DNA sequence: AGCGTTCTAGAATATTCGATT
DNA sequence: GAATCGAATATTCTAGAACGC
């Protein structure tokens, strides 16, 4: 069983991208496996991205990374092979680690202000059902 | 005749569609037998659907699938974009599995509020919205 | 430059699509100019849509039309050329009329929960419904 | 009474653009 | 050419509503 269906497509896609050795010259795990590295941003954006997303813009890819809480890290990892001219960026998330695909389920997309409202709204739906039943004259125990 | 009369026609029809090898270029089981695949959506809609349903719209077919709790699933598990030019969609239901026609009886059409209940439902919606606001801590005054 | 920058891209795109006579076999104005007609849905979706949008699904196109308040109309326009088998759908919006591109600015995308206005919108709805109930003489209590 | 078909809307994610720091 | 975030639109999948049978 691979990543469960509860994992957004974006996450399973970067996972697959980093794992696929055919992409090794564009994107790969850092040596310690705690971050991934984009090696040639231009070619990565123009050649790899459109195969997996509906765009070929690095900026859009980065926006998605930020939605999911990834951070760009500037520091070179100690002892890591230096890609110097080719390393375009290193991105990291606490739950994105080589060998731990199961952690993907812990990565949450950030909610917008009004998405937050929706949660409340959903809570209220329970209330809706209660009210519905009460109006119908049906008695039952409290929700929650 | 296997399928009992308690199984809605829609379910027996997709079952027959998927099983019939003459439809192999339009619709078929996935390799693991846990989902079915529509191969060429346009031709499937225009050539196959009208032979079994009163329409030739993919959208109506999909609406039916959703009524019965089928879910569309990503083409392949790796998350790679890769559309087989021909694979238009893969649909899955926990009780729709190759070799287990008897499970069809467990697939239930979702219920909708009956006409009579709708009035109560509408009343309750007010309550829902009020509750929503209260939970949100929003204060509002009455109109006028 | 006709369409001002305040007009969403979707609207300027359908306008351009309908106006472009090279698309005449796929999409065109109705005879009276008050709606547009999609002539061959399958070919329109697969050949035209991807040139202008990031997809080739009629369903996504229709969802966009609905976001902007377009309605599908079934009735044949009186006196219009009948396309019979080829007419896949006729869509209409009060402010989408041949010869009146300036009206596009009046077409508004429906608001969603992701817009800040939504909260106010919801407030107003409650008020409306509460008033409605009160006028109806219906009493209701708060949920807990 | 539940099922089938159609049109529209809800909800979540995806993409773009620009503001903010 | 720094990086992140807010907001609006775009795309996808699913559900609501209405109506006919």
């Amino acid at each position: 069983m691979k990543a469960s269906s509860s994992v957004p497509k974006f996450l399973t896609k970067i996972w697959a991208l980093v794992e696929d050795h055919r992409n090794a010259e564009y994107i790969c795990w850092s040596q310690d496996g705690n971050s991934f590295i984009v090696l040639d941003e231009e070619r990565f954006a123009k050649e790899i991205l459109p195969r997996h997303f509906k765009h070929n813009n690095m900026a859009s890819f980065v926006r998605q990374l930020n939605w999911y809480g990834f951070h760009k890290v500037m520091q070179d990892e100690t002892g890591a092979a230096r890609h110097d001219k080719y390393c375009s960026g290193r991105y990291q998330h606490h739950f994105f680690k080589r060998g731990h695909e199961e952690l993907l389920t812990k990565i949450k997309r950030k909610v917008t202000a009004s998405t937050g409202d929706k949660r409340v709204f959903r809570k209220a739906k329970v209330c809706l059902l209660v009210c519905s039943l009460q109006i119908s004259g049906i008695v039952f125990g409290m929700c929650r």
Side-chain angles (χ1 to χ4, degrees), chain A:
Chain A
M1 293 306 108
K2 307 293 290 293
S4 94
S5 59
S6 66
V7 176
K9 285 182 181 177
F10 177 72
L11 295 177
T12 59
K13 282 180 179 178
I14 10 176
W15 183 271
L17 276 172
V18 179
E19 286 282 312
D20 190 341
H21 293 297
R22 289 172 299 183
N23 296 326
E25 48 180 324
Y26 302 105
I27 186 174
C28 65
W29 287 106
S30 64
Q31 194 165 40
D32 62 8
N34 290 326
S35 61
F36 72 85
I37 297 173
V38 175
L39 296 170
D40 186 332
E41 192 171 294
E42 296 305 317
R43 293 181 60 204
F44 174 72
K46 298 308 171 196
E47 298 179 25
I48 304 298
L49 286 183
R51 294 183 196 169
H52 302 268
F53 304 95
K54 292 176 180 293
H55 65 80
N56 60 358
N57 307 308
M58 191 62 189
S60 294
F61 181 67
V62 172
R63 187 67 191 87
Q64 278 281 68
L65 288 172
N66 288 328
W67 274 122
Y68 286 95
F70 283 77
H71 288 277
K72 187 170 188 175
V73 284
M74 312 302 296
Q75 313 77 6
D76 294 321
E77 34 178 355
T78 49
R82 296 288 297 272
H83 291 281
D84 289 329
K85 296 177 183 173
Y86 302 109
C87 176
S88 298
R90 197 152 74 82
Y91 298 89
Q92 170 178 323
H93 190 290
H94 184 59
F95 293 128
F96 194 82
K97 294 185 188 302
R98 182 173 51 202
H100 294 280
E101 190 175 1
E102 79 282 359
L103 292 178
L104 292 183
T105 60
K106 293 183 178 295
I107 302 180
K108 299 302 179 189
R109 193 179 203 268
K110 288 177 183 175
V111 289
T112 66
S114 39
T115 303
D117 289 343
K118 284 183 189 169
R119 295 248 171 80
V120 173
F121 201 68
R122 231 172 277 130
K123 272 191 211 166
K125 272 192 172 174
V126 178
C127 208
L128 157 64
L129 289 169
V130 172
C131 292
S132 175
L133 288 180
Q134 290 192 328
I135 292 172
S136 303
I138 298 173
V139 179
F140 70 106
M142 202 48 48
C143 47
R144 298 184 349 96

